[in-house]
Amino acid sequence: EKGGYKHFMLKEIFEQPRAVRDTIAGRLREEQGDVYLEDLSLNDAALKGINRICIIACGTSWHAALVGKFLIEEHCRVPVEVDIASEFRYRNPVVDENTLVMLISQSGETADTLAAMRESKRRGGKCVAICNVVDSSIAREADGVIYTHAGPEIGVASTKAFVTQLIALYLFTIRLGRSREVMSLEEGRDLIAAVVRVPALMEEALKLNEQVEKVARNYLQARDFLYLGRGMNYPIALEGALKLKEISYIHAEGYAAGEMKHGPIALIDEHMPVVVLVPKGPNYDKVFSNMEEVIARGGRVIAVCSEGDQEVKDKVEVALEIPEDGCNVSPLILSIPMQLLAYHVAVLKGTDVDQPRNLAKSVTVE
Ligand code: M6R
């Protein structure tokens, strides 16, 4: 049932190009630069009436939400707030009829996310769920659903569900932007073209597997890791750190690279591995200089950069290269080396990768 892989997690990492293809299938309207979301239940008029979006989730799904904020604000110019479900539900949140509340949940059964949705509905918000399990509680009770088609995810550490959540957010962004007429036909088509390229770019990134396994061997003794990224790759730094801590039990923190000088830089010494997400793209120069600050303090940098980026490669201990034309879908492509690094470190340490201690696949109690 693990299809020849040693663990479900590794199988699910390698299934990601397929999972993304299945989540896109049948939904693209390439000519119109638009997307069809069969169960969204919000027509153009309803989408136009929204003046604010709250995205609510837990754990890895919350990281997807953070990428969603970036995409929606960038392309649709609607203000987006992102919240952790357990915070939102007890906070007296501002939600009204013009608020769209998006719930992201792989299982569709997470207690805090479900409660946050019920609270939002009570206040009149329209609720749309991004969900991987058909007919789960959250999917059933939401006004609309965007299903991800990752297939059953067995590993406790979320991998393929996460990347399909990201794809669902790209699709929703296109639909929202086109319906509100803030996104041109051309922009819609460009985004669709970027989404269509994702599976092939992921196949490329999966070729890093052997290199990442070798890298993992050199960092097993580390007690802490720092992960840095900016813009839409900042949530991927958070996700990389979460993957590592949940399966290898090594302490790890994800940080917005620009925030490092406000505290965590004090942690850096020659024992501290720092994973820096520095692909070519909008924040490249800024992240590059943050990386130099780390190197100047003796930090051991594992950079994830664009293929052939000699400037980065000349400076760092390890460079993991991802295909260059993935810049506007970088969160999806960068996720792969993050997952592989956590996986190999954990396997080499001998932990139970698919069933890490103290964790459940779906958290149905608060
Ligand atoms: O099923 P959900 O997406 O609602 O689950 C949310 C979190 O419990 C989940 O993402 C958790 O953080 C994973 N173990 C992360 O790998």
Side-chain angles (χ1 to χ4, degrees):
E1 61 200 338
K2 291 181 196 149
Y5 290 96
K6 201 168 160 206
H7 297 96
F8 281 111
M9 182 180 176
L10 191 62
K11 171 174 175 267
E12 289 164 0
I13 290 172
F14 275 86
E15 271 172 11
Q16 291 180 112
R18 193 276 309 147
V20 166
R21 271 187 209 105
D22 287 353
T23 301
I24 298 170
R27 287 172 162 172
L28 303 181
R29 300 286 176 268
E30 277 148 309
E31 277 292 291
Q32 293 102 298
D34 207 336
V35 158
Y36 172 67
L37 296 169
E38 59 289 354
D39 298 314
L40 184 64
S41 309
L42 294 171
N43 59 20
D44 284 15
L47 290 170
K48 274 186 188 143
I50 295 163
N51 60 19
R52 206 171 132 251
I53 298 178
C54 298
I55 317 182
I56 317 294
C58 303
T60 287
S61 299
W62 176 67
H63 297 152
L66 292 170
V67 176
K69 172 184 169 72
F70 190 95
L71 291 174
I72 294 168
E73 291 193 341
E74 168 83 12
H75 296 286
C76 309
R77 313 305 301 151
V78 180
V80 181
E81 259 175 70
V82 174
D83 228 316
I84 292 169
S86 57
E87 287 296 315
F88 179 88
R89 64 181 287 199
Y90 292 119
R91 201 194 52 218
N92 194 11
V94 181
V95 172
D96 63 23
E97 310 73 57
N98 301 318
T99 309
L100 174 66
V101 181
M102 298 187 81
L103 298 306
I104 307 183
S105 177
Q106 186 285 130
S107 62
E109 302 295 348
T110 300
D112 283 320
T113 311
L114 180 59
M117 180 171 72
R118 289 179 177 156
E119 185 56 32
S120 305
K121 282 183 105 175
R122 210 174 57 75
R123 291 168 191 245
K126 294 188 194 70
C127 293
V128 167
I130 295 180
C131 221
N132 194 47
V133 178
V134 176
D135 274 342
S136 54
S137 305
I138 293 173
R140 266 198 328 268
E141 288 186 33
D143 301 306
V145 193
I146 306 172
Y147 278 114
T148 50
H149 296 292
E153 191 180 62
I154 310 294
V156 164
S158 185
T159 53
K160 61 176 181 170
F162 176 64
V163 296
T164 58
Q165 289 166 347
L166 295 179
I167 280 293
L169 287 161
Y170 274 85
L171 298 180
F172 175 75
T173 299
I174 297 169
R175 184 73 275 277
L176 183 68
R178 296 293 287 143
S179 72
R180 293 171 70 94
E181 294 159 41
V182 287
M183 186 182 289
S184 66
L185 173 64
E186 205 190 345
E187 193 182 351
R189 284 182 178 162
D190 285 351
L191 271 176
I192 288 181
V195 164
V196 168
R197 276 199 306 275
V198 167
L201 294 170
M202 287 186 140
E203 307 272 9
E204 278 301 304
L206 285 166
K207 294 182 185 158
L208 288 168
N209 189 34
E210 278 174 31
Q211 186 194 352
V212 174
E213 182 177 9
K214 288 197 193 100
V215 169
R217 285 181 196 281
N218 296 327
Y219 293 88
L220 293 181
Q221 309 311 329
R223 291 189 42 214
D224 310 273
F225 268 72
L226 206 54
Y227 287 71
L228 303 176
R230 270 182 189 244
M232 59 175 179
N233 301 325
Y234 158 51
I236 306 307
L238 297 178
E239 174 62 4
L242 177 61
K243 285 289 88 95
L244 188 73
K245 54 192 147 186
E246 76 177 324
I247 61 171
S248 78
Y249 316 144
I250 295 176
H251 169 247
E253 268 189 77
Y255 242 87
E259 185 67 8
M260 194 184 53
K261 56 186 169 297
H262 299 287
I265 199 162
L267 294 169
I268 292 170
D269 62 14
E270 63 284 4
H271 304 296
M272 177 70 106
V274 184
V275 178
V276 184
L277 306 179
V278 59
K280 288 278 164 64
N283 299 304
Y284 176 78
D285 292 342
K286 295 286 172 200
V287 185
F288 193 95
S289 62
N290 297 139
M291 185 180 76
E292 289 181 308
E293 290 157 17
V294 172
I295 294 167
R297 284 153 189 90
R300 305 174 63 187
V301 172
I302 303 171
V304 187
C305 64
S306 297
E307 206 152 37
D309 187 340
Q310 205 53 46
E311 271 187 280
V312 169
K313 287 163 73 178
D314 286 345
K315 285 193 177 289
V316 299
E317 200 169 287
V318 174
L320 302 172
E321 298 174 65
I322 57 163
E324 183 167 357
D325 67 342
C327 149
N328 44 8
V329 287
S330 55
L332 288 134
I333 315 306
L334 290 169
S335 293
I336 289 184
M338 297 299 92
Q339 298 160 349
L340 289 172
L341 182 62
Y343 173 76
H344 287 298
V345 169
V347 169
L348 290 164
K349 290 194 74 170
T351 60
D352 187 344
V353 174
D354 285 333
Q355 279 293 335
R357 66 186 182 202
N358 309 339
L359 288 172
K361 181 63 188 164
S362 116
V363 184
T364 53
V365 291
E366 72 164 292

